[in-house]
Amino acid sequence: MARPRKPLLSPDRIVETARALVDAEGLAAVSTRRLAARLGVSGPSLYNHFRTKDEILEAVADSVSALVDLSMFEDGRDWRTALHDWAVSYRAALRAHPNIVPVMARGPGRRPAGLRLADAAYGAMVEAGWPPAQATSIGALMRYFIMGSALGSFAGGFVDDAGAYDPADYPHLGQAHLLAEKQEKIDERAFETGLTALLDGLAQQYERVRDS
């Protein structure tokens, strides 16, 4: 019997494999040699699709941007609801692939999905009546907030050892050792608290914009 044919090498296969490697081991683990070994090809084969490792990481970043739902900017939701729902979807995509966030934080560059994401948010704010300059600031503000929330866990940054928080040194951290075990709940609540405060502030600015 003939041997089964190996799947053809393609940009999508390379990106999927690189994304899995980044998810599992971080950015430093990615090399063309390791990717080629995982794909069962020779290293030079990758260069038929990507010129450098950085291009591969850019493509991985764009594949994560493509996971963000943009329908809220097209289905008639008001600007505040749309921003909220977009932020939740955006953060969910980043939390699923946190190790690629440092690459995404550089900005969209020439990445198509990243540019579509920025275009959709900016366009929706302008259509809602925000002046272009403020719409740009809103896009930047949302990205700072969402990216920052995905770079690490607040609750997970505390150890579960009560002895690490001597009340003589840290009189207000007597319960800090309990945070780690409730990490997801605390981080989710913090994100929603910050997002609500951010949108409340924007709503006040919006009223001033409309009255001017």
Side-chain angles (χ1 to χ4, degrees), residues 91-146:
R91 180 169 180 260
L94 299 186
R95 288 195 69 195
H97 305 281
N99 291 336
I100 197 64
V101 173
V103 177
M104 299 179 71
R106 300 171 191 163
R110 297 178 182 273
R111 301 193 297 266
L115 289 170
R116 283 193 293 272
L117 190 154
D119 180 74
Y122 173 79
M125 295 306 101
V126 172
E127 290 177 9
W130 286 96
Q134 286 179 278
T136 299
S137 296
I138 290 170
L141 170 63
M142 296 298 291
R143 194 168 72 84
Y144 296 152
F145 177 68
I146 297 164

Side-chain angles (χ1 to χ4, degrees), residues 16 59 94 98 109 113 132 135 168 175 179 185 197-198 202:
E16 288 171 8
L94 299 186
Q175 301 296 307
L179 294 176
K185 181 178 180 180
L198 187 156
L202 288 177

Side-chain angles (χ1 to χ4, degrees), residues 9-212:
L9 190 62
S10 67
D12 286 345
R13 275 195 70 213
I14 295 170
V15 170
E16 288 171 8
T17 303
R19 186 172 61 216
L21 185 57
V22 171
D23 287 345
E25 301 184 38
L27 293 171
V30 179
S31 68
T32 54
R33 185 173 66 177
R34 289 198 68 186
L35 282 175
R38 286 197 171 202
L39 289 161
V41 301
S42 64
S45 300
L46 301 179
Y47 298 120
N48 293 324
H49 302 281
F50 297 98
R51 292 176 298 177
T52 65
K53 183 185 81 170
D54 285 344
E55 280 194 3
I56 295 173
L57 291 176
E58 287 288 312
V60 170
D62 210 39
S63 74
V64 174
S65 292
L67 300 175
V68 181
D69 183 16
L70 299 177
S71 64
M72 65 285 298
F73 295 128
E74 303 167 353
D75 61 10
R77 274 173 261 191
D78 65 272
W79 69 265
R80 176 178 175 144
T81 302
L83 276 185
H84 176 277
D85 295 348
W86 175 63
V88 170
S89 177
Y90 201 162
R91 180 169 180 260
L94 299 186
R95 288 195 69 195
H97 305 281
N99 291 336
I100 197 64
V101 173
V103 177
M104 299 179 71
R106 300 171 191 163
R110 297 178 182 273
R111 301 193 297 266
L115 289 170
R116 283 193 293 272
L117 190 154
D119 180 74
Y122 173 79
M125 295 306 101
V126 172
E127 290 177 9
W130 286 96
Q134 286 179 278
T136 299
S137 296
I138 290 170
L141 170 63
M142 296 298 291
R143 194 168 72 84
Y144 296 152
F145 177 68
I146 297 164
M147 291 282 181
S149 75
L151 282 173
S153 165
F154 170 79
F158 292 85
V159 299
D160 61 0
D161 176 11
Y165 307 104
D166 188 330
D169 297 320
Y170 315 108
H172 306 296
L173 296 182
Q175 301 296 307
H177 64 288
L178 302 176
L179 294 176
E181 69 181 45
K182 301 176 182 178
Q183 175 179 329
E184 185 171 354
K185 181 178 180 180
I186 292 171
D187 289 348
E188 287 291 338
R189 187 171 62 205
F191 178 75
E192 281 292 340
T193 298
L195 183 57
T196 298
L198 187 156
L199 294 174
D200 283 347
L202 288 177
Q204 293 180 16
Q205 291 187 34
Y206 186 67
E207 291 304 314
R208 292 196 291 271
V209 166
R210 296 195 66 180
D211 291 341
S212 61

